[in-house]
DNA sequence: ACACGAGGTCTATAAAAGAGACCGACAGGC
DNA sequence: GCCTGTCGGTCTCTTTTATAGACCTCGTGT
């Protein structure tokens, strides 16, 4: 816990960043980039949010996020399953139903994700204002 | 939806998510999606991390993130500037040099971003293991 | 005069996302 | 028995987005 009383974590992130570079500098072996590319993609966050309250079926997720194509929904769920963040359970009913849920690992992502979402909610007005200002200046 | 009371922030995110839907359900007007699509994109996080330690010049950022094309670097920096997260200062030297830095708003993003990066560092081994397992199963 | 480096832009190509038709199995209506 | 609809996908086609890399302008050092 390196709190120098300054409450700045900028240097913290900068330090880590420098460390990644020293340790190889190869972007392909950088786990942070690999992980963040997932977390950051357009649908992953939304789907994880949708599953945060409990397991949902494929159709239910689709209803909750209407503007995702089935193709992307399937793919994103596969990726989540592959990375151990989500579970996929098939019930041999007819028609078959499939239920997706978060693993403990997936649930552990909710914490930082919620922080990020909270930041977005706090600051979207400021961002919108900045955009308006920027457009006016050019 | 079941609530077994042991997942503290799961319901939190699920609640917010439900609230976004109640409040319009239009994904285009959802500020969180708008903001997260930025934060999540491949380069934004890296560039913000690179600027976390202080302002850097265009070429310096490029040297630190070698595998970004100039085109994407320019574009991502423009977006950060547009959204009020980064500043761009041109020095009339020759050849002209341009310095990019974070605004207070940009620095406020470091907090949640650091949390996310920390999560990625903590869990990338588990994710890699899950991937290996998944590949073996199929 | 020439090449060079800074900070870009432009173009051509590759990768990814989106729309939406289709599928296989079964259930219910007629 | 036949038609229709549902569920959880896959397949194909089109559009969007990213990448690589050539090129540009301007001044400077040699």
């Amino acid at each position: 816990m390196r709190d120098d009383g300054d409450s700045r974590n900028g240097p913290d992130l900068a330090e880590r960043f420098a460390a990644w570079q020293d340790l190889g500098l190869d972007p392909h072996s950088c786990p942070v980039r690999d992980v963040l590319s997932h977390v950051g993609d357009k649908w992953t966050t939304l789907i994880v949010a949708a599953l945060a309250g409990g397991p949902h079926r494929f159709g239910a997720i689709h209803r909750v996020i209407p503007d995702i194509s089935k193709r992307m929904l399937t793919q994103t769920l596969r990726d989540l399953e592959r990375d151990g963040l989500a579970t996929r359970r098939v019930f041999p009913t007819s028609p078959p139903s499939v239920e997706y849920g978060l693993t403990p690992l997936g649930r552990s992502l909710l914490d930082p994700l919620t922080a990020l979402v909270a930041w977005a909610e706090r600051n979207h007005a400021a961002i919108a204002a900045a955009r308006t200002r920027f457009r006016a200046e050019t």
Side-chain angles (χ1 to χ4, degrees), chain A:
Chain A
M1 188 90 29
R2 59 242 145 261
D3 192 336
D4 49 6
D6 208 18
S7 118
R8 291 168 315 149
N9 51 8
D12 192 5
L13 191 58
E15 254 169 50
R16 284 167 199 262
F17 186 72
W20 308 337
Q21 302 214 285
D22 294 345
L23 293 172
L25 170 53
D26 181 21
H28 298 287
S29 64
C30 171
V32 176
R33 288 180 63 165
D34 184 43
V35 170
L36 286 187
S37 75
H38 259 42
V39 170
D41 94 34
K42 187 171 178 184
W43 302 114
T44 302
T45 305
L46 277 170
I47 292 177
V48 169
L51 297 179
H56 286 68
R57 291 175 51 180
F58 185 91
I61 303 171
H62 202 184
R63 245 165 276 130
V64 157
I65 309 172
D67 58 335
I68 188 175
S69 63
K70 286 180 175 184
R71 189 183 174 279
M72 287 316 298
L73 181 53
T74 302
Q75 195 178 108
T76 308
L77 285 168
R78 281 285 126 79
D79 284 352
L80 286 171
E81 191 196 355
R82 181 173 60 96
D83 289 359
L85 302 178
T87 55
R88 177 175 185 272
R89 290 198 306 158
V90 181
F91 296 93
T93 58
S94 79
S97 65
V98 181
E99 197 183 68
Y100 292 91
L102 293 180
T103 63
L105 182 58
R107 273 192 294 276
S108 77
L109 177 57
L110 293 176
D111 235 333
L113 218 52
T114 302
L116 201 58
V117 166
W119 182 89
E121 287 183 325
R122 270 201 313 278
N123 296 108
H124 79 265
I127 289 175
R131 274 185 203 173
T132 304
R133 203 179 316 125
F134 188 85
R135 217 171 311 144
E137 279 169 11
T138 50

